[in-house]
């Protein structure tokens, strides 16, 4: 059974002055980056995400702290614990994602393959199930 997501390590350059991690679209990440955004100050117990994309691919990184990403393909779910800024989770299209269990001070950075388009989002779980049934 193939995993729903893929953890991709990024080049980490250790330096006593501070570590450097690099993420280049088309090199380290398998798409060109069209958009970057990040989540901060997520209150304890809150859940983010709760949607799927029709055409946007995402690369999710715990730039600081930790959180869980649960991916759902309509038949099964897998949870990934992200807590290293030198690796990220590749999320393909057609997967429902939720993010939760944020540590204090966590920063979730997302690199996306597409600019923001509301029409690309599937925001209701029942609509998502109908979408994967139709696409499958």
């Amino acid at each position: 059974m193939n995993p729903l997501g893929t953890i991709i390590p990024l080049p980490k350059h250790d330096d006593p002055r501070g570590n450097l991690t690099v993420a280049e679209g088309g090199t380290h990440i398998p798409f060109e980056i069209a958009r970057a955004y990040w989540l901060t100050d997520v209150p304890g117990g809150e859940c983010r995400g709760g949607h799927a994309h029709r055409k946007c691919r995402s690369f999710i990184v715990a730039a600081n702290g930790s959180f869980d990403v649960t991916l759902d393909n309509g038949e099964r779910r897998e949870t990934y614990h992200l807590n290293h800024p030198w690796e990220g989770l590749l999320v393909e299209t057609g997967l429902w994602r939720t993010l939760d269990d944020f540590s204090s001070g966590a920063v979730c950075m997302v690199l996306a393959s597409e600019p923001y388009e509301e029409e690309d989002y599937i925001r209701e779980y029942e609509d998502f199930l109908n979408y994967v049934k139709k696409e499958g």
Side-chain angles (χ1 to χ4, degrees):
M1 187 176 328
N2 290 334
L4 297 179
T6 303
I7 297 289
I8 297 176
L10 298 169
K12 178 185 172 202
H13 305 281
D14 294 327
D15 188 307
R17 301 169 298 162
N19 299 330
L20 172 71
T21 299
V22 176
E24 294 180 359
T27 302
H28 308 111
I29 300 169
F31 56 78
E32 293 301 322
I33 300 164
R35 178 171 51 123
Y37 59 94
W38 43 95
L39 302 169
T40 61
D41 304 320
V42 177
E46 285 299 316
C47 180
R48 295 296 311 237
H51 64 268
H53 289 281
R54 293 175 175 87
K55 64 181 182 177
C56 185
R57 300 164 76 192
S58 302
F59 187 74
I60 304 173
V61 177
N64 191 62
S66 66
F67 52 88
D68 291 339
V69 180
T70 300
L71 301 179
D72 178 338
N73 69 358
E75 295 181 1
R76 71 179 207 274
R77 291 183 177 140
E78 293 178 0
T79 299
Y80 298 83
H81 183 69
L82 299 182
N83 64 347
H84 300 299
W86 59 85
E87 66 182 20
L89 177 65
L90 177 64
V91 181
E92 296 291 349
T93 60
L95 292 172
W96 188 264
R97 82 275 325 270
T98 57
L99 292 79
D100 58 14
D101 199 21
F102 285 82
S103 68
S104 178
V107 176
C108 170
M109 180 180 68
V110 181
L111 305 176
S113 67
E114 305 294 326
Y116 176 81
E117 294 179 19
E118 180 59 33
E119 303 78 38
D120 183 50
Y121 284 76
I122 304 169
R123 297 197 182 268
E124 298 296 329
Y125 191 73
E126 287 302 316
D127 294 340
F128 165 71
L129 292 176
N130 290 331
Y131 174 81
V132 294
K133 201 180 293 185
K134 179 179 144 188
E135 293 296 311

